[in-house]
Each structure stands twice: as structure tokens, then as C-alpha cells.
Amino acid sequence: MIRIAVANQKGGVGKTTTAINLATALAATGWKVLLVDLDPQGNASTGLGVDHAHRERSSYELLRGDCALEEAVTTTRVPRLDLVPATVDLSGAEIELIDYQRRTHRLEEALDGAPPGRWDICLIDCPPSLGLLTVNALVASHSILVPLQAEFFALEGLSQLLKTVERVRSGFNRGLSILGVALTMYDRRNNLSSQVADDVRAVLGKVVFETVIPRNVRLSEAPSHGLPALIYDHRCPGSEAYMSLARELIGRLPKPAEAA
């Protein structure tokens, strides 16, 4: 099972929106997808229509070892897309896990328990921080996808994240790689967005996806309906951009059979 952490320590960059819609796009193309909500806000769970009453088991219990992976998984409205939901209890995990052995490997060990062939790919929606939850996601993953808002401080925040990735790579997960950087909230009417995009591409080169995700009101509306934007309005510019991004992403991934 391919494991990808969707991470950026800055909040409000479209991280959860990216995780939800890429997971939906991958499921639509036939991949069996697991999305792990590792953010105490639980926005990915809400955005996929899983209300709090149906979150009896969550990523919190999974990290604590109180349940197996399959016990924490719930189905979603999207065919071939399963979810490990999050609850507010996860906010205390950073402190609780300090006393656990191999506290940085809790998620990795839980995902290692996945039945062979059950899922082709796992996306992990990380919290907007570089704490123990995000470190768990990076240790458990083969690669990281970074949603990056096209705004002035983008590169400054990215440098902090890349330093954390390097520390995780040297200390816990030598195989961790940068799958790609996705520019989000891009405003074509704003010269600053274009300038930031040029700067990011100049620094990172081909690691930056060609597709950019535009600012789009339908992307913001979709979570309130408990639906990915790709289902809520598949013809809106935001949905079309995520479909294009998914095609690029698939081109960078091994085929499911190769990754098994």
C-alpha cells in the first residue's frame, strides 16, 4: 500500500481540501483508497459526510493501540474510498504519546496491520503543525505531498517543513521522499500569485506540479454538504483542477500491483 502524507504546518492552505479531492479522484479511477484523518479538527471526516455520531473509533484510538486498523475504518459516500475519522480527542494525543514506546512509529505500526490488497493507497491528512502527529504521518509514509498557498510567506513556511522532512528522513524513515508540491488558492488576477509560483518553481523545479488549484467558491462550499468538490460540482474550475492534479499524481506513482 502506497502511503502519502499531505502536510503543511501552515493552516488554511487547502491541505484538507487537497486530501479529500485527490482521494476521491483516485477512487474514481479505480484505486482502493484509505484516507486517514490525523487532524484533531476532523475536517476531512466532516468533508466526507461522516458525522460525529459515526466516529466511534478514530485515529486517536488507533494511535493509542486501543483498536486495530480495520476497527477504526468507516466507509464513505464515495465508492472505493474508506476513512479513518478523527475526533477532538486527538488533540490530547501529542501529550499522551510522549510516554509510549516508539511513539513516532505508532501510525506506521497500525498501517502495517492492513490486510494485504485491501487498499492500494493511503493518504494521511496531517494537522497544521510539525508536532508528534505530523511526525507519525511522515514516519509512516513513503512520500509527502505539500499543498502550498500562492502567497508571500509560502517559501518561508516550506523551508521549515523541508527541514522537518530531512530530520525524519535521517532519524526515522530513510525512504521518505517529496512526491510533489501543489500550488493552491491561485488567483490568476493577482500578480503576486504568479510571482510566488515562479519563485517556487525556480527553487524546487520539477517537484512542483504543473497543475495549480485556483481560488474557487465551490471548493469552499462542498464540505458544508459533506461532499468532495468533485462530487458536489465536478464541472467547477476547482474540481477540474483537482482532476488534473490527480492525473499528474498518478503519473508519479507506481501502479497498485507494483506497490503491493
Side-chain angles (χ1 to χ4, degrees), residues 188-249:
R188 298 185 186 280
R189 302 166 300 176
N190 188 337
N191 289 335
L192 179 60
S193 287
S194 178
Q195 182 180 340
V196 169
D198 290 343
D199 289 346
V200 172
R201 294 187 194 281
V203 172
L204 298 176
K206 292 184 178 180
V207 74
V208 183
F209 289 104
E210 288 297 322
T211 302
V212 296
I213 309 301
R215 285 191 177 275
N216 181 227
V217 68
R218 304 298 269 178
L219 291 178
S220 302
E221 291 174 353
S224 66
H225 295 270
L227 291 170
L230 288 173
I231 294 177
Y232 178 64
D233 183 356
H234 70 277
R235 295 183 177 178
C236 74
S239 292
E240 291 178 348
Y242 273 117
M243 284 301 297
S244 176
L245 180 62
R247 286 191 289 270
E248 275 196 78
L249 177 70

Side-chain angles (χ1 to χ4, degrees), residues 35 46 50 64 87 148 209 237 248:
L35 177 58
T46 302
V50 178
R64 282 172 49 92
T87 65
L148 192 69
F209 289 104
E248 275 196 78

